């Protein structure tokens, strides 16, 4: 009987560790750890659909540095027409997120940084800013990113883009820590 109880406790411990490893990244505060998720190398795949146009696929590679309550993140998009850079500087204070984002325009130069604000919850993050589309014109657009952790350790991002309050585009993106994790997620829960 004692052997069965010890075996059961061991099995529960292994199960708990396995579930924790697969679950979403959480900071010590119980809030989603966006800096921890993007520290180091990450990848994404998605598509953007603009008003009156067909969906356009894209991928991205990320290089992130998390230090204390900050995240510096370079996001290198790969669109059919070429690569574009988006550079994020974010600070976390409890549930609050603040920072800036710089976006590479059509001419290949980074536009001036614009302020970003948002909130973290236990399962994800929302970020909002008025800025520029990667590879786009110098036309300020309103962006809202709603990122939600998936049970497999990936992160789903639902992006809405507005112009003068009217919906202009939307994007569905999956973030992962490796190409293998991204492929596995897309194979089991197809996303653009």
């Amino acid at each position: 009987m004692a052997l069965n109880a010890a075996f059961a406790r061991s099995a529960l411990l292994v199960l708990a560790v396995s579930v924790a490893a697969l679950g979403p990244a959480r900071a010590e505060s119980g809030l989603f750890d966006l800096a921890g998720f993007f520290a180091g190398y990450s990848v994404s795949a998605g598509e953007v659909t603009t008003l009156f146009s067909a969906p356009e696929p894209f991928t991205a590679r990320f290089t992130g540095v998390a230090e204390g309550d900050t995240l510096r993140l370079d996001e290198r998009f790969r669109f059919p027409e070429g690569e574009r850079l988006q550079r994020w500087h974010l600070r976390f204070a409890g549930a609050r997120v603040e920072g800036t984002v710089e976006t590479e325009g059509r001419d290949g130069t980074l536009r001036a940084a614009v302020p970003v604000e948002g909130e973290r919850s236990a399962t994800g993050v929302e970020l909002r800013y008025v800025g520029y589309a990667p590879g786009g014109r110098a036309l300020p657009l309103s962006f809202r990113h709603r990122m939600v952790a998936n049970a497999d350790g990936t992160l789903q991002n639902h992006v809405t883009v507005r112009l003068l309050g009217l919906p202009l585009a939307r994007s569905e993106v999956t973030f992962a820590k490796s190409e293998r994790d991204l492929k596995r997620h897309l194979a089991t829960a197809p996303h653009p």
Side-chain angles (χ1 to χ4, degrees):
M1 182 72 167
L3 183 59
N4 286 344
F7 178 76
R9 281 194 301 274
S10 296
L12 285 174
L13 179 60
V14 168
L15 179 61
V17 169
S18 300
V19 169
L22 292 174
R26 298 199 194 269
E28 290 180 20
S29 64
L31 297 170
F32 184 80
D33 185 9
L34 189 68
F37 183 89
F38 280 112
Y41 178 78
S42 305
V43 294
S44 71
E47 69 178 21
V48 61
T49 305
T50 56
L51 205 56
F52 308 119
S53 71
E56 179 181 351
F58 65 89
T59 60
R61 298 177 322 275
F62 301 82
T63 306
V65 176
E67 295 176 335
D69 62 351
T70 65
L71 171 65
R72 291 188 326 266
L73 182 67
D74 278 0
E75 181 176 10
R76 298 188 184 280
F77 289 96
R78 182 174 290 146
F79 294 103
E81 68 273 7
E83 293 194 12
R84 294 291 184 246
L85 172 65
Q86 202 164 43
R87 181 164 287 152
W88 300 83
H89 294 260
L90 300 174
R91 291 177 306 284
F92 305 93
R96 185 100 179 109
V97 182
E98 294 179 334
T100 61
V101 63
E102 301 168 84
T103 305
E104 186 177 347
R106 282 185 179 200
D107 63 359
T109 61
L110 283 176
R111 304 204 186 283
V114 298
V116 175
E117 64 178 25
E119 298 81 30
R120 294 188 296 165
S121 69
T123 59
V125 179
E126 181 173 313
L127 299 176
R128 298 172 301 279
Y129 60 96
V130 175
Y132 307 98
R137 296 186 171 98
L139 177 66
L141 304 168
S142 297
F143 290 82
R144 182 172 66 187
H145 295 253
R146 288 186 176 171
M147 293 171 256
V148 178
N150 294 319
D152 63 2
T154 61
L155 187 62
Q156 203 65 37
N157 188 13
H158 311 281
V159 183
T160 55
V161 183
R162 294 180 179 271
L163 175 62
L164 303 172
L166 300 173
L168 179 65
R170 64 181 170 76
S171 183
E172 293 294 328
V173 188
T174 302
F175 302 120
K177 290 305 294 175
S178 70
E179 286 85 359
R180 185 185 61 160
D181 291 344
L182 182 60
K183 285 180 185 176
R184 183 174 42 237
H185 175 83
L186 295 176
T188 59
H191 291 284

